[in-house]
Amino acid sequence: MKYDFRTFQGDVFGGITSAVVALPVALAFGIASGLGAEAGIYGAIAVGFFASVFGGTRSQISGPTPSMTVAMAVIISAHADSSFTKALIIVVLAGLIQVLLGVLRIGRFVVYTPHVVVSGFMSGIGIIIMLIQVLPFLGAPTSPQGPMGALGDLPEALANVNMSALAIATVALVIAVFWPKRLSRMAPAPLVALVVGAVLGIFWLTGAPEIGTIPEGLPALSFEMPSGAFLLGALQPAIILALLGSVDSLLTSLVADAMTGTRHKPDKELVGQGIGNIVSGLFSGMPGAGATIGTVTNIRAGGSTPVSGVIRALFLLALLLGGGKYLEPIPHAVLAGILMKIGWDIVDWRLLLRIHRLRRDHLVIMLMTLLLTVAVDLVTAVAIGLIVAGMNHARQLKGLELDSVVSVPVLDRVFFEGEKDMEISDPLQARVGMVALRGTLTVASSRNLVSVIGADIREHEVVVFDFSEALYLDDSAAMVIEQLLDVARESSTRVIVMGLSGSVQEMIDTLEVLRKLPANRVVNRLEEARGIARELLGG
């Protein structure tokens, strides 16, 4: 792609516009995560810069996102003993895992996370953000116990409402909801809400809780060598954080592709996101991912290359170096109003409004993921959601795979037609059975093969296992084939194996499945199998 002045001009405008949108959101996400407003800005700068430089999506904007914010709040309270240092180590570890996923070329598979799981935890995240922001909306401090703690503190907050905070938050929410779309390109709704709410809080409705001290200048390196025991316990939340960030980023990359007509590089994108999260964690920043709102804003404003993401990060850095003191008097309630709108938008209303049309198993997975996200934590919700979705998929796959296994008796007069030395006294006699294994056989179906096929094997004197149309066999299915051979041996049924080739034969040979079968009973064609069967039956 040719890079000229017009492209640079679009990148400059896209980067600055997306930075303006990102500033209030980064401040709000930093506070909501528990790390502080400055952590949101640090994360927007670090992840935004390095994901643009090393990532694989040309116009993507990265930074703190709702899912990473909620995950970070859970990690601080549940996995880091409320220690910021330990929490940041988990962020660094998650970044390393993302880089590893990219290096191992696993990026393309992350987006295969079932939509009902994604929908469930995204809707849960939206609900959590709204529940957590209820308290600062009323002028009360946020609860360290998360959404359930916020519900518990709600009666006291309602009894002691800070009217200034409530008014400021309401104004910010109204602006965020009703700001005309035609004006959003010139003045994004979150920025307008931030400015109006800040002016109200500073000059008229004083008394509402403020953001407070924001350190100016570059953050210092914040890292200490963790113990082995902590690293072992931190692995699970780090993996979940890495997967959430990866799914978030790659789904945003698909949105960017659809808008620009380009194709992203998923593995390179994960490496860039991982490097960004490593740097962010080392310098006290929030973890981040591809941000859909920022990416769409950047593209619509003219940004089309990674330069726009770099300009956005540098613009935020300039604000941090010289403007931190101007952000300190902003009321918490302004950010609460903005986040209420963001939380509402995150809920997957498109699927929730069609909930009555969902299949029962998909409905159960989605609602279970949503409820666990809100009531327990995001880590547990995603882990259990993926496990249940995988089991449900395996159950569906099992039926499809078993349909591709055919076990039929073959009449002697058909199987041995034209064989002069075979005397067939009974025209309905079927001493040979044919088991045809077609397509793919995996752990999903292999456990049922013994019960389904075993009974058929016992009814014949000879069984031909036909692998001519088998495409793939995993280790579980291969071991079950060995069990079927044992069933045949115990029932004195002789076995002939036909048509092994490619990866199927490689798996069979690797696990030595046929080690007890005479070598002359492994053939390539039906004519050879017929000749051996004739010999075994005394023809």
Side-chain angles (χ1 to χ4, degrees):
M1 177 181 176
K2 182 181 177 181
Y3 196 87
D4 53 19
F5 179 75
R6 174 173 286 187
T7 306
F8 176 72
Q9 191 177 33
D11 285 339
V12 170
F13 192 59
I16 293 176
T17 304
S18 58
V20 169
V21 173
L23 178 62
V25 175
L27 291 171
F29 283 157
I31 293 173
S33 72
L35 289 174
E38 65 275 13
I41 300 181
Y42 297 159
I45 295 170
V47 181
F49 180 86
F50 288 98
S52 293
V53 173
F54 297 104
T57 310
R58 294 180 59 83
S59 51
Q60 179 151 293
I61 295 297
S62 301
T65 63
S67 58
M68 301 297 268
T69 300
V70 174
M72 201 64 219
V74 171
I75 286 171
I76 291 174
S77 61
H79 299 279
D81 302 322
S82 298
S83 166
F84 288 175
T85 303
K86 290 182 178 179
L88 293 171
I89 290 172
I90 294 176
V91 173
V92 173
L93 188 57
L96 290 171
I97 293 171
Q98 282 186 298
V99 172
L100 183 63
L101 291 175
V103 171
L104 295 178
R105 304 181 65 82
I106 300 176
R108 68 199 71 187
F109 302 113
V110 174
V111 292
Y112 289 114
T113 302
H115 180 71
V116 285
V117 175
V118 176
S119 175
F121 79 71
M122 288 305 293
S123 295
I125 287 168
I127 293 170
I128 286 176
I129 288 177
M130 289 187 284
L131 288 176
I132 290 176
Q133 296 308 310
V134 166
L135 297 182
F137 199 96
L138 300 173
T142 57
S143 170
Q145 279 77 43
M148 295 298 104
L151 285 177
D153 294 344
L154 186 56
E156 183 179 350
L158 288 172
N160 301 282
V161 175
N162 184 315
M163 297 309 296
S164 294
L166 179 60
I168 293 169
T170 303
V171 169
L173 178 59
V174 168
I175 292 173
V177 172
F178 295 106
W179 186 249
K181 288 186 178 180
R182 66 180 183 277
L183 301 178
S184 294
R185 183 167 182 173
M186 294 181 291
L191 181 64
V192 176
L194 179 69
V195 172
V196 172
V199 169
L200 286 175
I202 294 171
F203 295 105
W204 289 287
L205 300 174
T206 56
E210 300 173 350
I211 287 178
T213 305
I214 294 179
E216 290 192 3
L218 294 174
L221 180 66
S222 174
F223 187 79
E224 63 180 41
M225 189 58 64
S227 65
F230 172 75
L231 280 179
L232 193 61
L235 196 58
Q236 182 199 11
I239 289 174
I240 296 297
L241 193 64
L243 290 177
L244 283 177
S246 300
V247 171
D248 229 353
S249 300
L250 295 181
L251 290 178
T252 303
S253 297
L254 294 176
V255 173
D257 287 351
M259 294 183 67
T260 60
T262 58
R263 287 189 64 182
H264 72 282
K265 298 176 182 177
D267 300 310
K268 188 178 178 183
E269 182 62 35
L270 290 192
V271 172
Q273 295 290 338
I275 293 173
N277 280 318
I278 291 171
V279 176
S280 184
L282 289 174
F283 288 92
S284 305
M286 274 188 64
T292 304
I293 296 174
T295 300
V296 171
T297 302
N298 176 49
I299 294 172
R300 286 179 176 170
S304 59
T305 77
V307 174
S308 59
V310 172
I311 290 173
R312 167 188 173 273
L314 294 177
F315 185 79
L316 289 175
L317 179 61
L319 288 178
L320 178 68
L321 293 177
K325 60 180 177 292
Y326 300 111
L327 303 176
E328 293 173 359
I330 296 175
H332 273 295
V334 178
L335 304 178
I338 295 171
L339 280 175
M340 279 289 187
K341 174 61 167 60
I342 291 175
W344 179 269
D345 290 340
I346 291 168
V347 175
D348 190 2
W349 296 110
R350 183 168 55 179
L351 191 62
L352 285 178
L353 292 175
R354 302 175 190 173
I355 200 169
H356 59 289
R357 298 181 180 274
L358 288 179
R359 282 173 31 185
R360 182 179 300 175
D361 48 353
H362 289 174
L363 176 62
V364 169
I365 293 169
M366 189 197 73
L367 292 179
M368 181 185 65
T369 307
L370 190 156
L371 292 174
L372 286 174
T373 300
V374 176
V376 184
D377 62 61
L378 194 63
V379 174
T380 303
V382 173
I384 294 180
L386 288 173
I387 291 170
V388 175
M391 292 172 63
N392 179 60
H393 178 68
R395 182 178 61 82
Q396 297 170 3
L397 196 63
K398 178 185 71 175
L400 294 174
E401 292 180 0
L402 286 175
D403 287 343
S404 67
V405 179
V406 179
S407 175
V408 294
V410 183
L411 294 175
D412 285 3
R413 61 187 176 85
V414 175
F415 190 74
F416 296 111
E417 183 179 6
E419 301 286 338
K420 297 180 181 180
D421 53 348
M422 289 298 295
E423 296 182 4
I424 302 173
S425 56
D426 183 356
L428 299 179
Q429 182 173 262
R431 290 178 290 174
V432 178
M434 181 74 73
V435 178
L437 301 107
R438 303 168 180 168
T440 299
L441 294 168
T442 66
V443 66
S445 58
S446 59
R447 300 303 176 194
N448 282 50
L449 285 177
V450 175
S451 58
V452 173
I453 306 300
D456 292 345
I457 290 175
R458 295 185 179 94
E459 295 177 358
H460 303 290
E461 296 180 40
V462 176
V463 170
V464 179
F465 282 82
D466 181 9
F467 289 90
S468 302
E469 298 182 33
L471 301 177
Y472 174 77
L473 211 70
D474 73 355
D475 52 354
S476 299
M479 296 308 295
V480 171
I481 297 298
E482 185 176 46
Q483 292 181 41
L484 291 174
L485 297 180
D486 291 339
V487 170
R489 192 176 300 108
E490 292 167 2
S491 57
S492 300
T493 299
R494 275 73 62 88
V495 173
I496 301 170
V497 174
M498 180 180 79
L500 284 175
S501 64
S503 62
V504 175
Q505 181 172 8
E506 183 179 349
M507 179 59 71
I508 293 289
D509 292 343
T510 300
L511 297 179
E512 299 181 328
V513 172
L514 305 180
R515 65 184 183 280
K516 295 180 182 179
L517 189 70
N520 67 331
R521 294 197 201 166
V522 181
V523 299
N524 294 321
R525 300 186 304 277
L526 183 60
E527 291 76 11
E528 297 174 78
R530 185 182 291 115
I532 295 175
R534 184 183 59 201
E535 294 175 7
L536 293 174
L537 294 173

